[in-house]
Amino acid sequence: MLEENPYIENRKKQNIRPIIIPNKKKLYWDLMNIENSWSGRMDTNIGNTFIMEAHQLLINSIELFEMGYFDCAYFSLRSAVDISTTMVFLCDITEEKREEYFEKWKTQDSFPKRFQMIKELTGKGEFFCDMYENMPSFFLEAQKTSEALNKFVHKQGLCNFYISRNHPVFKVKSQEAFVNNYLSFLKKVIGIVAVMRLAIDPFPVLLMDEDILYRCFDSMTEAYTEEFVKEYIGSTIIQGYKKTSIFRGAYDALSENEKKTEPVFDVVKHQYINTEKYDEIKKQFHLMDVYDVTATVLAHSCNKITRIYTMGGFLFYFTERKTKSIGLSVSGEEFKKLSSLVDRINLPYHKVFISVFKVGNEDYFAEHNDLLEETEVKFIESELEVLRTIE
């Protein structure tokens, strides 16, 4: 390992002033609203990649600012705005043009600048145009924010020079004001990314309504929290968004769906099976998929069963019963080994047992604290037999 050169270390740090951002943990928790806002739209899967990138850029910005590289932090903020605009552009244009522009974007060919994308979307965008008309204040503020960020990125003004921060004439008078100014921009950009995400689909806002949440299919999208919307977006902007066709159309369609009871919702959304509510859950089996139904029947069939794994361990259900297992989980390789055994009942594992039951083409791994008796195994098999006849 090369020895550190004192001169280089001194020069490297000469004009860099690390900063501690207050309430940093809260910022990271708030950013989970963006991280968990994945879209389930099959025709615009690329949008999720952009959501993840925008989320990473926001994290990078926070870390760079704390390290003292404030202009890089602002550059990451502007990049987050740009990437969210590109995301909407590629998702909201026609399929034919989407393929054309996406290819140009991938190959780094000639591609529209941010203002050109906005212009194109306001005239021809399927959803963006509607948002633009119903949320004019948001887009005006977003434009102002983007222009202001350019001042930092292009180093306009001595206040944006590193050497100015330590110069006796231009030194920043208030460290607190310097930090607060950055946090103000950070919050604005988080809001911009969060709203631009809504041009793909309305689910982060739709699912904030519990009535819709219980009528919705199992969406991969998590709802924005009330606190997040209040702090980063604003109720006025959200009310404007709720007037758009993308929101109203989805809201009206989902409102016609049958509403799940809470125990059924817990199975579908959280993979939590309350076996004491089995009779209530059974009444809405038609709202559950085959994995949910099979796992519920399996859990109900024996009070020794605590957890159930399927899809090679990818899908995991738990119950109100406490497990005595000392292991955190079963690995995919271990599931393969268990599936390959001839005798697959009462297999010892981490101080408990696993029994494997096949339904259709899928193995279900039932974890239980105590050994299953032969009569219990036969009863479980009889309960699952009906499911095996369902194609």
Side-chain angles (χ1 to χ4, degrees):
M1 184 176 179
L2 295 176
E3 293 184 7
E4 292 184 352
N5 185 306
Y7 175 74
I8 293 177
E9 289 302 308
N10 180 62
R11 292 295 297 139
K12 187 169 65 177
K13 299 175 182 178
Q14 183 174 355
N15 292 305
I16 303 299
R17 298 170 61 189
I19 294 171
I20 295 176
I21 294 179
N23 240 350
K24 177 180 173 180
K25 184 177 180 180
K26 179 183 179 300
L27 288 170
Y28 269 69
W29 279 109
D30 291 344
L31 284 173
M32 287 184 67
N33 282 269
I34 292 175
E35 182 181 15
N36 295 334
S37 69
W38 270 47
S39 171
R41 271 184 63 180
M42 298 303 295
D43 61 328
T44 57
N45 278 337
I46 186 61
N48 290 325
T49 304
F50 283 81
I51 292 170
M52 289 191 296
E53 184 67 12
H55 174 259
Q56 184 62 57
L57 286 167
L58 292 168
I59 289 176
N60 291 354
S61 178
I62 294 170
E63 295 303 320
L64 287 164
F65 190 80
E66 277 204 323
M67 291 167 64
Y69 301 102
F70 63 90
D71 59 344
C72 298
Y74 280 105
F75 181 81
S76 283
L77 290 184
R78 195 191 72 168
S79 294
V81 174
D82 291 344
I83 204 74
S84 64
T85 305
T86 304
M87 171 186 69
V88 176
F89 181 73
L90 291 174
C91 290
D92 204 33
I93 56 179
T94 62
E95 185 175 350
E96 181 181 351
K97 282 193 172 184
R98 182 183 305 145
E99 294 178 0
E100 174 190 343
Y101 278 113
F102 184 51
E103 187 61 31
K104 288 183 177 181
W105 181 83
K106 286 194 301 181
T107 58
Q108 300 181 353
D109 199 350
S110 177
F111 194 81
K113 293 181 172 58
R114 182 178 181 276
F115 79 91
Q116 293 172 320
M117 288 189 283
I118 295 292
K119 184 178 180 180
E120 178 77 11
L121 287 168
T122 53
K124 301 177 182 178
E126 183 180 1
F127 300 133
F128 184 89
C129 185
D130 198 12
M131 289 174 62
Y132 197 85
E133 291 178 0
N134 284 282
M135 305 155 62
S137 60
F138 164 77
F139 290 101
L140 178 61
E141 185 61 31
Q143 180 60 31
K144 290 180 179 179
T145 299
S146 181
E147 291 172 355
L149 286 171
N150 285 337
K151 304 296 182 182
F152 293 96
V153 173
H154 297 306
K155 311 294 288 185
Q156 186 173 343
L158 287 170
C159 59
N160 292 325
F161 277 31
Y162 281 98
I163 58 173
S164 301
R165 301 201 62 221
N166 290 323
H167 194 281
V169 177
F170 303 112
K171 187 175 180 180
V172 177
K173 294 182 179 180
S174 172
Q175 184 83 333
E176 182 180 357
F178 182 73
V179 174
N180 287 340
N181 187 58
Y182 167 74
L183 290 176
S184 175
F185 277 101
L186 174 63
K187 290 181 178 181
K188 288 177 181 178
V189 174
I190 291 175
I192 290 171
V193 173
V195 172
M196 295 296 273
R197 157 65 184 86
L198 298 177
I200 300 178
D201 67 56
F203 284 95
V205 173
L206 267 175
L207 299 180
M208 292 175 67
D209 186 327
E210 187 176 284
D211 184 69
I212 293 296
L213 179 65
Y214 278 62
R215 296 177 189 276
C216 187
F217 47 84
D218 183 20
S219 171
M220 65 194 302
T221 311
E222 295 292 336
Y224 290 157
T225 65
E226 295 284 353
E227 295 77 12
F228 178 80
V229 167
K230 182 178 180 180
E231 183 169 358
Y232 296 97
I233 301 176
S235 59
T236 301
I237 300 301
I238 289 299
Q239 289 307 313
Y241 180 72
K242 289 182 177 180
K243 295 177 182 178
T244 63
S245 59
I246 183 176
F247 179 87
R248 288 186 288 104
Y251 184 91
D252 291 343
L254 290 172
S255 295
E256 297 179 0
N257 292 346
E258 182 180 345
K259 188 175 181 178
K260 301 178 186 71
T261 62
E262 187 170 345
V264 172
F265 175 78
D266 283 338
V267 177
V268 173
K269 187 64 178 177
H270 305 299
Q271 290 72 56
Y272 169 64
I273 304 170
N274 186 343
T275 60
E276 296 176 357
K277 302 286 186 178
Y278 178 76
D279 290 339
E280 184 178 341
I281 296 173
K282 188 177 181 180
K283 292 177 182 177
Q284 290 192 323
F285 271 179
H286 57 284
L287 298 180
M288 301 160 63
D289 66 26
V290 64
Y291 296 105
D292 295 334
V293 172
T294 304
T296 301
V297 171
L298 184 53
H300 174 259
S301 65
C302 181
N303 59 17
K304 292 180 179 178
I305 295 175
T306 57
R307 299 191 290 201
I308 298 165
Y309 306 84
T310 189
M311 295 177 67
F314 179 76
L315 190 57
F316 157 60
Y317 296 86
F318 65 104
T319 69
E320 79 282 3
R321 303 163 187 150
K322 292 184 178 180
T323 180
K324 296 178 182 178
S325 173
I326 61 172
L328 296 177
S329 63
V330 187
S331 70
E333 286 301 314
E334 288 170 317
F335 279 119
K336 289 181 181 179
K337 291 179 182 178
L338 294 174
S339 291
S340 66
L341 298 175
V342 176
D343 185 0
R344 308 198 299 177
I345 303 296
N346 292 327
L347 304 170
Y349 190 85
H350 286 313
K351 301 296 183 180
V352 294
F353 303 92
I354 287 181
S355 294
V356 189
F357 299 90
K358 196 172 192 67
V359 178
N361 295 319
E362 202 69 55
D363 280 335
Y364 289 79
F365 304 82
E367 182 182 299
H368 42 97
N369 291 326
D370 304 303
L371 288 167
L372 295 179
E373 303 292 338
E374 185 177 350
T375 54
E376 291 172 322
V377 174
K378 287 182 178 180
F379 182 76
I380 293 172
E381 291 282 0
S382 67
E383 289 290 283
L384 295 175
E385 193 60 39
V386 176
L387 297 177
R388 291 193 179 95
T389 63
I390 301 175
E391 295 184 359

PDB file of all heavy atoms in Angstrom, residues 179-210:
ATOM      1  N   VAL A 179     -26.047  25.384   4.859  1.00  0.00           N
ATOM      2  CA  VAL A 179     -26.661  24.059   4.950  1.00  0.00           C
ATOM      3  C   VAL A 179     -28.148  24.133   4.632  1.00  0.00           C
ATOM      4  O   VAL A 179     -28.684  23.308   3.878  1.00  0.00           O
ATOM      5  CB  VAL A 179     -26.441  23.433   6.338  1.00  0.00           C
ATOM      6  CG1 VAL A 179     -27.203  22.118   6.465  1.00  0.00           C
ATOM      7  CG2 VAL A 179     -24.958  23.217   6.605  1.00  0.00           C
ATOM      8  N   ASN A 180     -28.827  25.122   5.207  1.00  0.00           N
ATOM      9  CA  ASN A 180     -30.273  25.258   4.996  1.00  0.00           C
ATOM     10  C   ASN A 180     -30.613  25.516   3.535  1.00  0.00           C
ATOM     11  O   ASN A 180     -31.648  25.061   3.038  1.00  0.00           O
ATOM     12  CB  ASN A 180     -30.839  26.382   5.869  1.00  0.00           C
ATOM     13  CG  ASN A 180     -30.896  25.998   7.341  1.00  0.00           C
ATOM     14  OD1 ASN A 180     -30.879  24.819   7.679  1.00  0.00           O
ATOM     15  ND2 ASN A 180     -30.947  26.993   8.210  1.00  0.00           N
ATOM     16  N   ASN A 181     -29.740  26.262   2.851  1.00  0.00           N
ATOM     17  CA  ASN A 181     -29.970  26.518   1.431  1.00  0.00           C
ATOM     18  C   ASN A 181     -29.908  25.214   0.639  1.00  0.00           C
ATOM     19  O   ASN A 181     -30.740  24.957  -0.237  1.00  0.00           O
ATOM     20  CB  ASN A 181     -28.922  27.493   0.900  1.00  0.00           C
ATOM     21  CG  ASN A 181     -29.214  27.934  -0.523  1.00  0.00           C
ATOM     22  OD1 ASN A 181     -30.262  28.483  -0.813  1.00  0.00           O
ATOM     23  ND2 ASN A 181     -28.271  27.681  -1.420  1.00  0.00           N
ATOM     24  N   TYR A 182     -28.926  24.369   0.973  1.00  0.00           N
ATOM     25  CA  TYR A 182     -28.819  23.069   0.298  1.00  0.00           C
ATOM     26  C   TYR A 182     -30.041  22.203   0.605  1.00  0.00           C
ATOM     27  O   TYR A 182     -30.612  21.591  -0.307  1.00  0.00           O
ATOM     28  CB  TYR A 182     -27.550  22.338   0.741  1.00  0.00           C
ATOM     29  CG  TYR A 182     -27.561  20.885   0.331  1.00  0.00           C
ATOM     30  CD1 TYR A 182     -27.361  20.519  -0.998  1.00  0.00           C
ATOM     31  CD2 TYR A 182     -27.839  19.882   1.265  1.00  0.00           C
ATOM     32  CE1 TYR A 182     -27.418  19.189  -1.388  1.00  0.00           C
ATOM     33  CE2 TYR A 182     -27.885  18.551   0.880  1.00  0.00           C
ATOM     34  CZ  TYR A 182     -27.676  18.208  -0.438  1.00  0.00           C
ATOM     35  OH  TYR A 182     -27.747  16.895  -0.823  1.00  0.00           O
ATOM     36  N   LEU A 183     -30.434  22.148   1.875  1.00  0.00           N
ATOM     37  CA  LEU A 183     -31.575  21.312   2.256  1.00  0.00           C
ATOM     38  C   LEU A 183     -32.853  21.770   1.571  1.00  0.00           C
ATOM     39  O   LEU A 183     -33.712  20.957   1.229  1.00  0.00           O
ATOM     40  CB  LEU A 183     -31.764  21.337   3.778  1.00  0.00           C
ATOM     41  CG  LEU A 183     -30.681  20.620   4.593  1.00  0.00           C
ATOM     42  CD1 LEU A 183     -30.944  20.797   6.088  1.00  0.00           C
ATOM     43  CD2 LEU A 183     -30.639  19.138   4.238  1.00  0.00           C
ATOM     44  N   SER A 184     -32.965  23.072   1.348  1.00  0.00           N
ATOM     45  CA  SER A 184     -34.139  23.600   0.636  1.00  0.00           C
ATOM     46  C   SER A 184     -34.189  23.064  -0.790  1.00  0.00           C
ATOM     47  O   SER A 184     -35.244  22.627  -1.271  1.00  0.00           O
ATOM     48  CB  SER A 184     -34.078  25.131   0.616  1.00  0.00           C
ATOM     49  OG  SER A 184     -35.127  25.667  -0.166  1.00  0.00           O
ATOM     50  N   PHE A 185     -33.041  23.053  -1.460  1.00  0.00           N
ATOM     51  CA  PHE A 185     -32.976  22.514  -2.822  1.00  0.00           C
ATOM     52  C   PHE A 185     -33.182  21.001  -2.823  1.00  0.00           C
ATOM     53  O   PHE A 185     -33.841  20.461  -3.716  1.00  0.00           O
ATOM     54  CB  PHE A 185     -31.644  22.878  -3.475  1.00  0.00           C
ATOM     55  CG  PHE A 185     -31.614  24.241  -4.085  1.00  0.00           C
ATOM     56  CD1 PHE A 185     -31.015  25.295  -3.423  1.00  0.00           C
ATOM     57  CD2 PHE A 185     -32.206  24.481  -5.316  1.00  0.00           C
ATOM     58  CE1 PHE A 185     -30.994  26.571  -3.982  1.00  0.00           C
ATOM     59  CE2 PHE A 185     -32.195  25.744  -5.886  1.00  0.00           C
ATOM     60  CZ  PHE A 185     -31.589  26.801  -5.209  1.00  0.00           C
ATOM     61  N   LEU A 186     -32.600  20.329  -1.836  1.00  0.00           N
ATOM     62  CA  LEU A 186     -32.761  18.883  -1.749  1.00  0.00           C
ATOM     63  C   LEU A 186     -34.239  18.507  -1.641  1.00  0.00           C
ATOM     64  O   LEU A 186     -34.720  17.610  -2.348  1.00  0.00           O
ATOM     65  CB  LEU A 186     -31.994  18.340  -0.540  1.00  0.00           C
ATOM     66  CG  LEU A 186     -32.186  16.840  -0.220  1.00  0.00           C
ATOM     67  CD1 LEU A 186     -31.671  15.977  -1.366  1.00  0.00           C
ATOM     68  CD2 LEU A 186     -31.478  16.489   1.084  1.00  0.00           C
ATOM     69  N   LYS A 187     -34.973  19.196  -0.787  1.00  0.00           N
ATOM     70  CA  LYS A 187     -36.389  18.895  -0.598  1.00  0.00           C
ATOM     71  C   LYS A 187     -37.194  19.192  -1.867  1.00  0.00           C
ATOM     72  O   LYS A 187     -38.117  18.451  -2.215  1.00  0.00           O
ATOM     73  CB  LYS A 187     -36.934  19.691   0.586  1.00  0.00           C
ATOM     74  CG  LYS A 187     -36.414  19.215   1.927  1.00  0.00           C
ATOM     75  CD  LYS A 187     -36.986  20.011   3.085  1.00  0.00           C
ATOM     76  CE  LYS A 187     -36.465  19.474   4.416  1.00  0.00           C
ATOM     77  NZ  LYS A 187     -37.021  20.223   5.567  1.00  0.00           N
ATOM     78  N   LYS A 188     -36.824  20.264  -2.546  1.00  0.00           N
ATOM     79  CA  LYS A 188     -37.521  20.590  -3.793  1.00  0.00           C
ATOM     80  C   LYS A 188     -37.311  19.506  -4.840  1.00  0.00           C
ATOM     81  O   LYS A 188     -38.251  19.108  -5.538  1.00  0.00           O
ATOM     82  CB  LYS A 188     -37.036  21.939  -4.331  1.00  0.00           C
ATOM     83  CG  LYS A 188     -37.509  23.144  -3.534  1.00  0.00           C
ATOM     84  CD  LYS A 188     -36.918  24.425  -4.095  1.00  0.00           C
ATOM     85  CE  LYS A 188     -37.360  25.632  -3.283  1.00  0.00           C
ATOM     86  NZ  LYS A 188     -36.755  26.895  -3.786  1.00  0.00           N
ATOM     87  N   VAL A 189     -36.083  19.017  -4.939  1.00  0.00           N
ATOM     88  CA  VAL A 189     -35.781  18.000  -5.948  1.00  0.00           C
ATOM     89  C   VAL A 189     -36.429  16.666  -5.586  1.00  0.00           C
ATOM     90  O   VAL A 189     -36.922  15.946  -6.474  1.00  0.00           O
ATOM     91  CB  VAL A 189     -34.255  17.843  -6.120  1.00  0.00           C
ATOM     92  CG1 VAL A 189     -33.942  16.681  -7.054  1.00  0.00           C
ATOM     93  CG2 VAL A 189     -33.664  19.131  -6.683  1.00  0.00           C
ATOM     94  N   ILE A 190     -36.450  16.332  -4.310  1.00  0.00           N
ATOM     95  CA  ILE A 190     -37.158  15.116  -3.891  1.00  0.00           C
ATOM     96  C   ILE A 190     -38.619  15.208  -4.326  1.00  0.00           C
ATOM     97  O   ILE A 190     -39.190  14.244  -4.846  1.00  0.00           O
ATOM     98  CB  ILE A 190     -37.061  14.917  -2.364  1.00  0.00           C
ATOM     99  CG1 ILE A 190     -35.624  14.559  -1.965  1.00  0.00           C
ATOM    100  CG2 ILE A 190     -38.019  13.812  -1.906  1.00  0.00           C
ATOM    101  CD1 ILE A 190     -35.397  14.470  -0.467  1.00  0.00           C
ATOM    102  N   GLY A 191     -39.211  16.385  -4.145  1.00  0.00           N
ATOM    103  CA  GLY A 191     -40.603  16.589  -4.561  1.00  0.00           C
ATOM    104  C   GLY A 191     -40.778  16.482  -6.063  1.00  0.00           C
ATOM    105  O   GLY A 191     -41.757  15.897  -6.549  1.00  0.00           O
ATOM    106  N   ILE A 192     -39.828  17.019  -6.816  1.00  0.00           N
ATOM    107  CA  ILE A 192     -39.896  16.951  -8.280  1.00  0.00           C
ATOM    108  C   ILE A 192     -39.841  15.498  -8.747  1.00  0.00           C
ATOM    109  O   ILE A 192     -40.642  15.060  -9.577  1.00  0.00           O
ATOM    110  CB  ILE A 192     -38.746  17.759  -8.914  1.00  0.00           C
ATOM    111  CG1 ILE A 192     -38.977  19.258  -8.696  1.00  0.00           C
ATOM    112  CG2 ILE A 192     -38.636  17.464 -10.418  1.00  0.00           C
ATOM    113  CD1 ILE A 192     -37.796  20.132  -9.096  1.00  0.00           C
ATOM    114  N   VAL A 193     -38.895  14.733  -8.206  1.00  0.00           N
ATOM    115  CA  VAL A 193     -38.770  13.325  -8.594  1.00  0.00           C
ATOM    116  C   VAL A 193     -40.033  12.558  -8.235  1.00  0.00           C
ATOM    117  O   VAL A 193     -40.538  11.742  -9.023  1.00  0.00           O
ATOM    118  CB  VAL A 193     -37.540  12.679  -7.918  1.00  0.00           C
ATOM    119  CG1 VAL A 193     -37.508  11.170  -8.176  1.00  0.00           C
ATOM    120  CG2 VAL A 193     -36.252  13.321  -8.421  1.00  0.00           C
ATOM    121  N   ALA A 194     -40.579  12.831  -7.044  1.00  0.00           N
ATOM    122  CA  ALA A 194     -41.781  12.127  -6.582  1.00  0.00           C
ATOM    123  C   ALA A 194     -42.984  12.417  -7.471  1.00  0.00           C
ATOM    124  O   ALA A 194     -43.782  11.518  -7.770  1.00  0.00           O
ATOM    125  CB  ALA A 194     -42.091  12.516  -5.135  1.00  0.00           C
ATOM    126  N   VAL A 195     -43.121  13.664  -7.919  1.00  0.00           N
ATOM    127  CA  VAL A 195     -44.259  14.027  -8.777  1.00  0.00           C
ATOM    128  C   VAL A 195     -44.054  13.504 -10.198  1.00  0.00           C
ATOM    129  O   VAL A 195     -44.997  12.996 -10.818  1.00  0.00           O
ATOM    130  CB  VAL A 195     -44.469  15.557  -8.790  1.00  0.00           C
ATOM    131  CG1 VAL A 195     -45.523  15.946  -9.836  1.00  0.00           C
ATOM    132  CG2 VAL A 195     -44.909  16.039  -7.414  1.00  0.00           C
ATOM    133  N   MET A 196     -42.849  13.608 -10.714  1.00  0.00           N
ATOM    134  CA  MET A 196     -42.587  13.096 -12.057  1.00  0.00           C
ATOM    135  C   MET A 196     -42.843  11.591 -12.118  1.00  0.00           C
ATOM    136  O   MET A 196     -43.292  11.068 -13.138  1.00  0.00           O
ATOM    137  CB  MET A 196     -41.156  13.416 -12.480  1.00  0.00           C
ATOM    138  CG  MET A 196     -40.869  14.896 -12.617  1.00  0.00           C
ATOM    139  SD  MET A 196     -41.824  15.718 -13.918  1.00  0.00           S
ATOM    140  CE  MET A 196     -40.780  15.429 -15.332  1.00  0.00           C
ATOM    141  N   ARG A 197     -42.569  10.916 -11.028  1.00  0.00           N
ATOM    142  CA  ARG A 197     -42.879   9.469 -10.947  1.00  0.00           C
ATOM    143  C   ARG A 197     -44.358   9.227 -11.204  1.00  0.00           C
ATOM    144  O   ARG A 197     -44.748   8.197 -11.787  1.00  0.00           O
ATOM    145  CB  ARG A 197     -42.452   8.948  -9.562  1.00  0.00           C
ATOM    146  CG  ARG A 197     -43.149   7.682  -9.067  1.00  0.00           C
ATOM    147  CD  ARG A 197     -42.834   6.472  -9.926  1.00  0.00           C
ATOM    148  NE  ARG A 197     -43.579   5.303  -9.503  1.00  0.00           N
ATOM    149  CZ  ARG A 197     -44.802   4.990  -9.902  1.00  0.00           C
ATOM    150  NH1 ARG A 197     -45.447   5.787 -10.758  1.00  0.00           N
ATOM    151  NH2 ARG A 197     -45.383   3.885  -9.484  1.00  0.00           N
ATOM    152  N   LEU A 198     -45.223  10.151 -10.813  1.00  0.00           N
ATOM    153  CA  LEU A 198     -46.673   9.980 -10.954  1.00  0.00           C
ATOM    154  C   LEU A 198     -47.148  10.069 -12.399  1.00  0.00           C
ATOM    155  O   LEU A 198     -48.295   9.758 -12.696  1.00  0.00           O
ATOM    156  CB  LEU A 198     -47.406  11.036 -10.114  1.00  0.00           C
ATOM    157  CG  LEU A 198     -47.158  10.982  -8.607  1.00  0.00           C
ATOM    158  CD1 LEU A 198     -47.881  12.127  -7.909  1.00  0.00           C
ATOM    159  CD2 LEU A 198     -47.601   9.635  -8.035  1.00  0.00           C
ATOM    160  N   ALA A 199     -46.262  10.476 -13.315  1.00  0.00           N
ATOM    161  CA  ALA A 199     -46.633  10.514 -14.731  1.00  0.00           C
ATOM    162  C   ALA A 199     -46.626   9.118 -15.336  1.00  0.00           C
ATOM    163  O   ALA A 199     -47.153   8.908 -16.432  1.00  0.00           O
ATOM    164  CB  ALA A 199     -45.674  11.425 -15.501  1.00  0.00           C
ATOM    165  N   ILE A 200     -46.030   8.141 -14.630  1.00  0.00           N
ATOM    166  CA  ILE A 200     -46.028   6.755 -15.117  1.00  0.00           C
ATOM    167  C   ILE A 200     -47.332   6.070 -14.754  1.00  0.00           C
ATOM    168  O   ILE A 200     -47.992   5.463 -15.580  1.00  0.00           O
ATOM    169  CB  ILE A 200     -44.841   5.978 -14.528  1.00  0.00           C
ATOM    170  CG1 ILE A 200     -43.522   6.624 -14.939  1.00  0.00           C
ATOM    171  CG2 ILE A 200     -44.872   4.520 -14.995  1.00  0.00           C
ATOM    172  CD1 ILE A 200     -42.304   5.952 -14.351  1.00  0.00           C
ATOM    173  N   ASP A 201     -47.696   6.141 -13.488  1.00  0.00           N
ATOM    174  CA  ASP A 201     -48.994   5.658 -13.009  1.00  0.00           C
ATOM    175  C   ASP A 201     -49.290   6.327 -11.671  1.00  0.00           C
ATOM    176  O   ASP A 201     -48.386   6.862 -11.025  1.00  0.00           O
ATOM    177  CB  ASP A 201     -49.028   4.120 -12.896  1.00  0.00           C
ATOM    178  CG  ASP A 201     -48.109   3.584 -11.819  1.00  0.00           C
ATOM    179  OD1 ASP A 201     -48.245   3.992 -10.653  1.00  0.00           O
ATOM    180  OD2 ASP A 201     -47.251   2.737 -12.130  1.00  0.00           O
ATOM    181  N   PRO A 202     -50.552   6.325 -11.243  1.00  0.00           N
ATOM    182  CA  PRO A 202     -50.931   7.081 -10.044  1.00  0.00           C
ATOM    183  C   PRO A 202     -50.879   6.311  -8.731  1.00  0.00           C
ATOM    184  O   PRO A 202     -51.314   6.815  -7.698  1.00  0.00           O
ATOM    185  CB  PRO A 202     -52.381   7.469 -10.362  1.00  0.00           C
ATOM    186  CG  PRO A 202     -52.899   6.304 -11.141  1.00  0.00           C
ATOM    187  CD  PRO A 202     -51.730   5.800 -11.962  1.00  0.00           C
ATOM    188  N   PHE A 203     -50.335   5.106  -8.731  1.00  0.00           N
ATOM    189  CA  PHE A 203     -50.459   4.244  -7.565  1.00  0.00           C
ATOM    190  C   PHE A 203     -49.823   4.771  -6.273  1.00  0.00           C
ATOM    191  O   PHE A 203     -50.365   4.524  -5.190  1.00  0.00           O
ATOM    192  CB  PHE A 203     -49.963   2.833  -7.891  1.00  0.00           C
ATOM    193  CG  PHE A 203     -50.948   2.066  -8.718  1.00  0.00           C
ATOM    194  CD1 PHE A 203     -50.838   2.030 -10.098  1.00  0.00           C
ATOM    195  CD2 PHE A 203     -52.010   1.411  -8.118  1.00  0.00           C
ATOM    196  CE1 PHE A 203     -51.778   1.357 -10.871  1.00  0.00           C
ATOM    197  CE2 PHE A 203     -52.951   0.730  -8.883  1.00  0.00           C
ATOM    198  CZ  PHE A 203     -52.836   0.696 -10.256  1.00  0.00           C
ATOM    199  N   PRO A 204     -48.700   5.478  -6.314  1.00  0.00           N
ATOM    200  CA  PRO A 204     -48.183   6.004  -5.044  1.00  0.00           C
ATOM    201  C   PRO A 204     -49.166   6.916  -4.317  1.00  0.00           C
ATOM    202  O   PRO A 204     -49.147   7.008  -3.091  1.00  0.00           O
ATOM    203  CB  PRO A 204     -46.929   6.777  -5.472  1.00  0.00           C
ATOM    204  CG  PRO A 204     -46.472   6.084  -6.709  1.00  0.00           C
ATOM    205  CD  PRO A 204     -47.755   5.714  -7.417  1.00  0.00           C
ATOM    206  N   VAL A 205     -50.044   7.584  -5.076  1.00  0.00           N
ATOM    207  CA  VAL A 205     -51.066   8.447  -4.473  1.00  0.00           C
ATOM    208  C   VAL A 205     -52.381   7.694  -4.296  1.00  0.00           C
ATOM    209  O   VAL A 205     -53.056   7.822  -3.272  1.00  0.00           O
ATOM    210  CB  VAL A 205     -51.281   9.717  -5.330  1.00  0.00           C
ATOM    211  CG1 VAL A 205     -52.458  10.538  -4.800  1.00  0.00           C
ATOM    212  CG2 VAL A 205     -50.016  10.566  -5.325  1.00  0.00           C
ATOM    213  N   LEU A 206     -52.753   6.890  -5.290  1.00  0.00           N
ATOM    214  CA  LEU A 206     -53.978   6.107  -5.202  1.00  0.00           C
ATOM    215  C   LEU A 206     -54.027   5.256  -3.937  1.00  0.00           C
ATOM    216  O   LEU A 206     -55.044   5.200  -3.237  1.00  0.00           O
ATOM    217  CB  LEU A 206     -54.101   5.179  -6.412  1.00  0.00           C
ATOM    218  CG  LEU A 206     -54.868   5.650  -7.641  1.00  0.00           C
ATOM    219  CD1 LEU A 206     -54.740   4.616  -8.741  1.00  0.00           C
ATOM    220  CD2 LEU A 206     -56.328   5.905  -7.317  1.00  0.00           C
ATOM    221  N   LEU A 207     -52.916   4.601  -3.634  1.00  0.00           N
ATOM    222  CA  LEU A 207     -52.886   3.656  -2.518  1.00  0.00           C
ATOM    223  C   LEU A 207     -52.842   4.340  -1.162  1.00  0.00           C
ATOM    224  O   LEU A 207     -52.900   3.671  -0.126  1.00  0.00           O
ATOM    225  CB  LEU A 207     -51.693   2.705  -2.667  1.00  0.00           C
ATOM    226  CG  LEU A 207     -51.705   1.844  -3.938  1.00  0.00           C
ATOM    227  CD1 LEU A 207     -50.479   0.942  -3.994  1.00  0.00           C
ATOM    228  CD2 LEU A 207     -52.980   1.008  -4.024  1.00  0.00           C
ATOM    229  N   MET A 208     -52.745   5.670  -1.158  1.00  0.00           N
ATOM    230  CA  MET A 208     -52.848   6.404   0.101  1.00  0.00           C
ATOM    231  C   MET A 208     -54.272   6.354   0.626  1.00  0.00           C
ATOM    232  O   MET A 208     -54.506   6.527   1.825  1.00  0.00           O
ATOM    233  CB  MET A 208     -52.417   7.863  -0.102  1.00  0.00           C
ATOM    234  CG  MET A 208     -50.937   8.046  -0.397  1.00  0.00           C
ATOM    235  SD  MET A 208     -50.508   9.764  -0.780  1.00  0.00           S
ATOM    236  CE  MET A 208     -50.807  10.542   0.819  1.00  0.00           C
ATOM    237  N   ASP A 209     -55.226   6.114  -0.273  1.00  0.00           N
ATOM    238  CA  ASP A 209     -56.642   5.969   0.090  1.00  0.00           C
ATOM    239  C   ASP A 209     -56.878   4.523   0.512  1.00  0.00           C
ATOM    240  O   ASP A 209     -56.786   3.614  -0.302  1.00  0.00           O
ATOM    241  CB  ASP A 209     -57.510   6.331  -1.120  1.00  0.00           C
ATOM    242  CG  ASP A 209     -58.994   6.353  -0.800  1.00  0.00           C
ATOM    243  OD1 ASP A 209     -59.435   5.557   0.059  1.00  0.00           O
ATOM    244  OD2 ASP A 209     -59.712   7.165  -1.410  1.00  0.00           O
ATOM    245  N   GLU A 210     -57.178   4.292   1.785  1.00  0.00           N
ATOM    246  CA  GLU A 210     -57.323   2.926   2.288  1.00  0.00           C
ATOM    247  C   GLU A 210     -58.421   2.164   1.569  1.00  0.00           C
ATOM    248  O   GLU A 210     -58.302   0.950   1.347  1.00  0.00           O
ATOM    249  CB  GLU A 210     -57.596   2.944   3.793  1.00  0.00           C
ATOM    250  CG  GLU A 210     -57.579   1.550   4.411  1.00  0.00           C
ATOM    251  CD  GLU A 210     -57.747   1.562   5.909  1.00  0.00           C
ATOM    252  OE1 GLU A 210     -56.764   1.892   6.601  1.00  0.00           O
ATOM    253  OE2 GLU A 210     -58.859   1.245   6.392  1.00  0.00           O
TER     254      GLU A 210
END
